[in-house]
Amino acid sequence: MVTSQLIEKISSGGFDNVFVSLYSGSALSRQRDRYIRVLNEFQRLYGEREVTLFSVPGRTELSGNHTDHNRGTVLAASV
């Protein structure tokens, strides 16, 4: 889906069930706005393009916190 189509689908509630499962019903409006802002900025920077959104698990460092930013090693795990 291109950016403008995705923005329209989010605005019209087309992803509400996904947002509620990820964040909660009370955060629905805020998350809609958040995604639309990100897509608008992407579109401003890169133009109308094909875009895919993903949800991935969180990450935590078990050992080596911040060393990965300096090309060090880190032991990470998904949350």
Side-chain angles (χ1 to χ4, degrees):
M1 211 177 287
V2 294
T3 49
S4 61
Q5 293 172 324
L6 199 49
I7 290 167
E8 177 56 37
K9 188 167 182 175
I10 291 169
S11 297
S12 66
F15 287 105
D16 284 0
N17 60 334
V18 175
F19 291 153
V20 167
S21 71
L22 290 172
Y23 305 108
S24 84
S26 62
L28 180 59
S29 177
R30 188 171 34 123
Q31 294 305 324
R32 259 198 228 131
D33 293 343
R34 177 176 161 242
Y35 279 80
I36 290 169
R37 275 195 322 274
V38 167
L39 288 165
N40 280 326
E41 182 65 11
F42 179 91
Q43 191 172 36
R44 184 186 73 76
L45 292 170
Y46 304 107
E48 183 79 1
R49 290 187 179 211
E50 188 77 21
V51 176
T52 305
L53 300 175
F54 295 92
S55 174
V56 295
R59 169 189 140 149
T60 186
E61 283 100 15
L62 301 176
S63 176
N65 192 16
H66 299 292
T67 61
D68 57 336
H69 303 289
N70 297 306
R71 297 198 170 118
T73 56
V74 65
L75 178 57
S78 65
V79 179

